[in-house]
Amino acid sequence: MEQSAPPPYRRIVEEIRHRIDAGELAAGDRVPSTRRITQDWGVAMATATKVLTTLRQEGLVRAVPGVGTVVAEQERAPRGEAARERRPREADGGLSRERVVRAAIKVADAEGLRGLSMRRVAAEFGVSSMALYRHVANKDELELLMAEAAFAEVALPRPAPEGWRERMEAGARLQWELYRRHPWLAQYLSITRPRPMPQAMALIEWTMARVEGMDPLTLIHMAVTLLNYVRSTAAGFEDDLEAEQETGMDQNQWMASMDPVFEGILQSGSYPMYAGIDGVGEGAVTLETLFEFGLARLLDGMEVLVRRRTAERGGDG
């Protein structure tokens, strides 16, 4: 019986693997982007995306923000005396829970949560993934420890803003900057299935500390609404990182490639709102402008609520 031919994505993976093994592509060299793969091999974008995903999963490449997908440093099996010297070090490797967590954060910052695996983190230390399990139980625990370590980085301003609106705004900006440093973090958090994270809870408590006169249920709704606004807007950081890894294009390059398509849509005359900002230039609508606009409007709405409750308390008196 004849063996069936491998799927197209696997054939391309093997060709790129051969180029890496042969030294044609060295560590740090860019590998073909999804666009280049579609052009050179004549396959669909979905197939090209699967090629890069498979290469990342197999530890052959890694994504570098602003650069694209590059060949990863390959771990070589030590031989002879080097192997005997390495085994005792791999048993402990100088590892600790804190070092493992910091290495995992470094990987996730550069490659996103989809690029994070126990094997990938172990490669940072030159050990097998089994060495990590002496310090963390599994990937779920590692991700939780990463999130808590990230929130522990937040330095609360001193003196703290006294006004309730100023305090809520400051807390929102602290979260925003945290998500900017760690794009994966916003995607990790969940409003419907929150995880026990004392460091994150402490920041939210601080953010809401100057809001007075609210019943506990209203207060928690205010807190979660603010948290979810910042988190959902900041999820775009991770979305953009993943898109850059898959396409090999940064945001400006991708928008430029879409210009002809959008231009045709706008010229139809059916979308006057969109056509109204045509030609205003880059930076008119970004994650930053959306965050600033939305935060101000959200706090405006909160202010209406606080004033109403304050007036009601005055009337009760």
Side-chain angles (χ1 to χ4, degrees), residues 273-291:
M273 178 184 71
Y274 292 98
I277 63 169
D278 188 29
V280 298
E282 294 180 4
V285 181
T286 66
L287 282 180
E288 293 291 341
T289 65
L290 292 171
F291 169 70

Side-chain angles (χ1 to χ4, degrees), residues 264-279:
I265 294 173
L266 296 180
Q267 288 178 354
S268 70
S270 300
Y271 305 93
M273 178 184 71
Y274 292 98
I277 63 169
D278 188 29

Side-chain angles (χ1 to χ4, degrees), residues 48-230:
T49 299
K50 191 168 186 178
V51 169
L52 293 186
T53 300
T54 302
L55 289 169
R56 283 199 298 273
Q57 291 174 343
E58 296 182 3
L60 293 170
V61 302
R62 63 187 181 89
V64 178
V67 176
T69 302
V70 304
V71 178
E73 292 283 351
Q74 299 301 304
E75 183 180 355
R76 304 295 181 182
R79 299 181 181 180
E81 189 64 29
R84 288 191 292 274
E85 289 177 358
R86 177 167 180 170
R87 289 192 190 101
R89 289 201 301 271
E90 182 164 325
D92 55 57
L95 295 183
S96 65
R97 173 174 285 203
E98 181 179 0
R99 289 192 67 202
V100 170
V101 170
R102 286 297 167 193
I105 289 175
K106 177 184 174 183
V107 170
D109 285 350
E111 304 176 25
L113 277 183
R114 288 201 303 184
L116 183 73
S117 66
M118 299 297 276
R119 177 185 175 186
R120 177 68 185 83
V121 177
E124 291 290 301
F125 299 101
V127 299
S128 67
S129 57
M130 291 305 297
L132 303 188
Y133 289 104
R134 289 189 282 273
H135 303 280
V136 293
N138 48 45
K139 185 183 175 186
D140 287 343
E141 183 186 41
L142 177 59
E143 290 178 344
L144 180 59
L145 292 170
M146 290 163 57
E148 273 287 83
F151 273 99
E153 296 173 4
V154 175
L156 299 176
R158 296 180 183 276
E162 286 298 322
W164 71 266
R165 177 168 177 148
E166 291 75 16
R167 180 71 74 92
M168 286 185 68
E169 181 179 350
R173 293 189 183 282
L174 288 170
Q175 292 176 55
W176 181 256
E177 291 304 319
L178 184 63
Y179 300 145
R180 188 204 301 277
R181 292 196 303 273
H182 305 298
W184 53 271
L185 183 56
Q187 296 273 22
Y188 174 75
L189 300 178
S190 173
I191 299 302
T192 58
R193 300 189 180 191
R195 298 167 179 84
M197 297 173 57
Q199 294 285 355
M201 294 168 67
L203 174 57
I204 305 307
E205 284 280 354
W206 180 90
T207 300
M208 306 303 297
R210 289 292 180 266
V211 182
E212 298 177 352
M214 297 292 172
D215 63 276
L217 192 57
T218 299
L219 190 63
I220 198 69
H221 274 82
M222 291 176 66
V224 174
T225 297
L226 181 67
L227 168 67
N228 197 43
Y229 167 71
V230 182

Side-chain angles (χ1 to χ4, degrees), residues 251-260:
Q251 185 182 30
N252 290 335
Q253 292 170 328
W254 186 85
M255 288 298 293
S257 73
M258 292 292 107
D259 276 348

